[in-house]
Amino acid sequence: MGRLLWLLCVAVGSGRWWLRGAQGKTLRGRFPSAGGGAQPAARFQFHGDHAVLYIRINNVAAAVEKEARLHLFQAQEWLNLQDSTQDHSCGEKLSKAQLTMPMNLTEQNLTLTQIPYPETWYVFYVDKFTCEENYENSESEDIQFEMVLLNPDAEGNPLDHFSAGESGLHEFFFLLVLAYFVAACIYAQSLWQTLKNGGPMHTVLKVLSTVLLFQAGSAFANYLHFSSYAKDGIGAPFMGSLAELCDIVCQIQMLYLLLSLCMGWMIGRMKKSQSRPLQWDSTPASTGIAVVVVVTQSILLIWEQFEDTNHHSYHSHHSLASGLLIGLRVCLSLSLACGLYQIIKVERSTLKREFYITFAKGCILWFLCHPGLATISVLFRDYQREKVITIGVILCQSISIVILYRLFLSHSLYWEVSSLSSVTLPLTVASGHKSRHYF
């Protein structure tokens, strides 16, 4: 399992690095002359009264010769044109742009005013060849450009590189990193001592600690990325990819841990009498189920990253991969809830029953927070949805980790948990504990 996890991490990391390209709100590239219709060169969520689009080109003569210009459409207006039952020609569609800017100077600014609420805009490059079918001219010179998209800051000056959908994330990750740092200063020493002492919960606590470290690493990498992004609109793509990689490792480790524990307990219930303490059972069936589910989620996570190359760890539910991933998490939460309910229903020990109930709460919160928040986000405006999902999922999964930490720490001295269903997470019990029954 460890080797498989490492291969998946390498695959996701390399894929994200290859896909990233020109992300951010400072864009550099070339405008080629191509027929067949216009394609969006950029999209941005503008807000306020003094948002600015700045563009710099290196060949004004070529731009003037081609009659090059930029057309700006509100996203909803452009989608309505695309879905319209009327057969609009390419030229008719482009003529309906809300704003246009001829590219006849080396440096130009276009100010967007009186935007009542944040909304997404598409920026199209258009020239006299754009609407020609099957146009090919290898001798036509491309126009090299640099485009900067800016929103007004708190003082009204157009200096903010963050779109409306990203505003506030920089501050959130700063507070999250600060919270991790304070928690580490308070609890790290006592937790390390607990891990050194070993015990029946030793392996589970080690896995939870590893997940927590990756969560903190993801938050810190995101903070570094957004700190750089605030200065130049590009950020640190490597740190953004590293943050997503850390999050994927967390998802895989937690899925394997929670599924293995539940499968072990359910199999133990089927094989052992109620009067005997739980024993560690490892069967080909239980191990196979855990590995298949983990591999399935890993494939969907990688697929989701390839479908949506924008930088954020928690995607909405618009792509097929995201929808399947949300469906998988819902099915997992329902399956684990049903299995734990059957265990709780026949459990006679009050302490064990409370343990299972608390464990079920942590599991369900971990798996259902993303589907639940993705559903709730539909009630918000488009620019708010990603922030609701990202901030909400991070906070809910952090709470889930705290619940599970408290649970296993509080039971580490008096309950033998040895029913884990995979040899890669062996919950072993010291020989001095084997003859002791706590319930």
Side-chain angles (χ1 to χ4, degrees), residues 17 49 125 216 311 339 350 415 423:
W17 182 258
D49 291 334
Y125 167 78
H311 166 69
T350 302
W415 188 26
V423 295

Side-chain angles (χ1 to χ4, degrees), residues 71-369:
H71 287 223
L72 276 72
F73 285 87
Q74 294 177 358
Q76 192 58 50
E77 294 294 330
W78 176 253
L79 294 176
N80 291 340
L81 281 174
Q82 295 293 88
D83 298 336
S84 175
T85 56
Q86 301 181 15
D87 189 16
H88 293 291
S89 66
C90 171
E92 290 173 338
K93 289 180 181 179
L94 294 176
S95 66
K96 296 181 182 295
Q98 280 74 39
L99 295 169
T100 60
M101 181 175 70
M103 297 169 60
N104 52 15
L105 297 173
T106 301
E107 297 184 14
Q108 292 177 272
N109 288 333
L110 176 64
T111 302
L112 288 76
T113 59
Q114 298 180 347
I115 302 176
Y117 57 86
E119 55 189 345
T120 303
W121 288 70
Y122 289 134
V123 181
F124 292 86
Y125 167 78
V126 179
D127 60 29
K128 64 182 180 181
F129 306 111
T130 298
C131 292
E132 293 186 11
E133 295 293 336
N134 302 320
Y135 171 79
E136 292 184 7
N137 186 355
S138 58
E139 297 181 358
S140 177
E141 184 179 356
D142 294 344
I143 301 173
Q144 191 171 354
F145 73 93
E146 177 182 359
M147 184 188 303
V148 181
L149 304 166
L150 296 166
N151 274 319
D153 58 15
E155 298 178 356
N157 301 315
L159 300 173
D160 187 3
H161 290 280
F162 292 102
S163 70
E166 299 163 332
S167 61
L169 288 179
H170 183 205
E171 292 80 4
F172 168 73
F173 283 113
F174 169 75
L175 294 175
L176 188 62
V177 170
L178 181 62
Y180 278 122
F181 177 75
V182 172
C185 293
I186 297 173
Y187 298 109
Q189 186 175 359
S190 59
L191 179 59
W192 174 251
Q193 190 62 40
T194 302
L195 292 174
K196 283 178 63 178
N197 292 338
M201 305 294 180
H202 177 70
T203 305
V204 175
L205 292 175
K206 281 179 63 178
V207 175
L208 288 175
S209 300
T210 303
V211 171
L212 194 60
L213 285 175
F214 275 108
Q215 280 188 326
S218 176
F220 185 62
N222 268 318
Y223 171 70
L224 293 179
H225 168 69
F226 282 115
S227 296
S228 177
Y229 187 97
K231 299 175 183 178
D232 57 15
I234 298 175
F238 173 76
M239 300 308 297
S241 296
L242 181 61
E244 294 179 13
L245 179 60
C246 289
D247 176 68
I248 288 175
V249 173
C250 289
Q251 301 300 321
I252 293 173
Q253 286 189 324
M254 282 298 291
L255 172 61
Y256 188 65
L257 172 66
L258 299 179
L259 188 60
S260 296
L261 285 169
C262 289
M263 289 294 297
W265 288 332
M266 287 187 284
I267 290 174
R269 284 285 166 175
M270 291 187 292
K271 289 186 175 182
K272 302 293 189 299
S273 65
Q274 297 299 314
S275 60
R276 296 178 60 186
L278 294 173
Q279 299 294 320
W280 170 30
D281 289 309
S282 178
T283 66
S286 63
T287 302
I289 291 173
V291 171
V292 167
V293 175
V294 168
V295 171
T296 301
Q297 177 176 271
S298 303
I299 292 172
L300 291 176
L301 285 168
I302 295 172
W303 183 9
E304 182 186 48
Q305 301 297 322
F306 276 78
E307 280 198 339
D308 188 351
T309 59
N310 289 322
H311 166 69
H312 43 82
S313 298
Y314 300 100
H315 303 253
S316 57
H317 53 282
H318 300 299
S319 66
L320 176 59
S322 297
L324 292 174
L325 191 58
I326 287 175
L328 175 64
R329 286 169 174 160
V330 171
C331 292
L332 281 171
S333 62
L334 292 177
S335 300
L336 296 181
C338 290
L340 289 169
Y341 174 74
Q342 296 300 321
I343 296 175
I344 294 168
K345 187 170 64 172
V346 299
E347 181 57 61
R348 296 179 181 178
S349 168
T350 302
L351 289 175
K352 282 188 178 181
R353 191 161 56 246
E354 290 178 354
F355 181 95
Y356 288 130
I357 291 172
T358 306
F359 181 81
K361 291 177 182 178
C363 284
I364 293 172
L365 181 60
W366 180 273
F367 288 120
L368 276 188
C369 61

Side-chain angles (χ1 to χ4, degrees), residues 38-55:
Q39 297 296 326
R43 67 188 297 272
F44 192 67
Q45 292 173 330
F46 290 106
H47 67 82
D49 291 334
H50 299 287
V52 168
L53 184 156
Y54 163 85
I55 188 164

Side-chain angles (χ1 to χ4, degrees), residues 199-203 280 417-418 425-430:
M201 305 294 180
H202 177 70
T203 305
W280 170 30
V417 177
S418 58
L425 287 174
L427 289 181
T428 58
V429 182

